[in-house]
Amino acid sequence: MKTRLNEEMLNNMSKDLGNWRGPFYFNRKDPRLIVPKMNPTFGQTLNFANPISYLAITALVALVFLVSII
């Protein structure tokens, strides 16, 4: 029961317009790294309040750069 309540609360956080800055999701209270977009048919996005999201983007850019050199 508690897990379902937390899941509903997290889903409500990702639907709150106050947590979106343009196309970017930014919510320090949300522990998830990957969250659904406002319209779930468009997929998922990163929670840019989570520092790991910046590490993931940096790693992805470095990987693309390294592959392009080879």
Side-chain angles (χ1 to χ4, degrees), residues 22-52:
F24 303 106
Y25 181 74
F26 192 90
N27 185 356
R28 294 181 198 270
K29 295 179 184 177
D30 192 343
R32 300 177 292 180
L33 176 63
I34 300 173
V35 295
K37 290 191 176 185
M38 286 292 293
N39 185 347
T41 58
F42 290 142
Q44 300 177 339
T45 189
L46 294 174
N47 180 1
F48 286 95
N50 190 333
I52 297 173

Side-chain angles (χ1 to χ4, degrees), residues 53-70:
S53 64
Y54 295 104
L55 292 174
I57 290 172
T58 304
L60 181 63
V61 169
L63 180 66
V64 169
F65 180 72
L66 289 173
V67 169
S68 68
I69 290 175
I70 297 174

